[in-house]
C-alpha cells in the first residue's frame, strides 16, 4: 500500500471541512464550559458532565483546527478525525435512545441534531479526502 500525501493545492475542500468542524466543535465546547449551569438546565445532563465535555470539545476542536492548518494534511490523522466524528454521532444517538444522557426533550433534539451535524462533517471530510487523492 502506498501512502498518499495531501498537499495544500489538492486539499481545499478537505481543509474547509476540517476547519468548519474545528470552529463548530470549539464553539460548542466553549458554550458548554462557560455556560454549563444554564445549558444543563435546558438540555438535561449534569453541569459537571457538560464542563468535562466542553473541555474535551475545546481540545478536540483545537486539534482538528491544527490539522486543517498543516501544509500537508495527514490522511491518517484525517481518518482518525472521521472515525471519532462517527463514534461521537453514534454515541449521541445511543445516549438519547438509552436515556443515559438524562436529556430533556430539548436536550434529546439537540443531541440528535448535533449527531447529524457531526456525521455531516465526517461525510464532508471523507469527500474531501477522496477529492484530494483523485486530483
Amino acid at each position: 500500500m502506498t501512502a498518499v500525501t495531501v498537499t495544500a493545492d489538492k486539499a481545499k475542500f478537505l481543509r474547509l471541512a476540517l476547519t468548519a468542524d474545528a470552529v463548530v466543535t470549539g464553539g460548542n465546547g466553549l458554550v458548554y464550559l462557560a455556560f454549563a449551569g444554564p445549558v444543563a438546565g435546558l438540555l438535561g445532563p449534569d453541569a459537571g458532565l457538560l464542563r468535562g465535555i466542553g473541555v474535551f470539545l475545546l481540545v478536540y476542536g483545537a486539534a482538528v483546527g491544527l490539522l486543517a492548518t498543516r501544509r500537508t494534511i495527514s490522511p491518517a490523522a484525517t481518518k482518525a478525525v472521521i472515525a471519532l466524528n462517527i463514534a461521537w454521532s453514534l454515541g449521541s444517538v445511543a445516549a438519547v435512545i438509552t436515556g443515559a444522557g438524562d436529556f430533556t426533550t430539548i436536550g434529546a433534539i439537540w443531541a440528535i441534531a448535533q449527531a447529524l451535524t457531526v456525521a455531516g462533517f465526517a461525510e464532508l471530510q471523507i469527500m474531501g479526502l477522496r477529492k484530494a487523492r483523485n486530483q
Side-chain angles (χ1 to χ4, degrees), residues 2 15 17 28 40 43 45 59 72 79 81 83 94 97 105 117 125-126 130:
T2 306
R15 191 174 309 284
N28 199 27
L43 301 182
V59 171
T72 301
K79 288 176 185 177
V81 168
I97 290 171
T105 300
T117 300
Q125 290 155 359
I126 290 167
R130 286 182 182 153

Side-chain angles (χ1 to χ4, degrees), residues 22 25-26 57-67:
T25 299
L57 292 176
L58 280 171
V59 171
Y60 182 70
V64 174
L66 181 63
L67 176 61

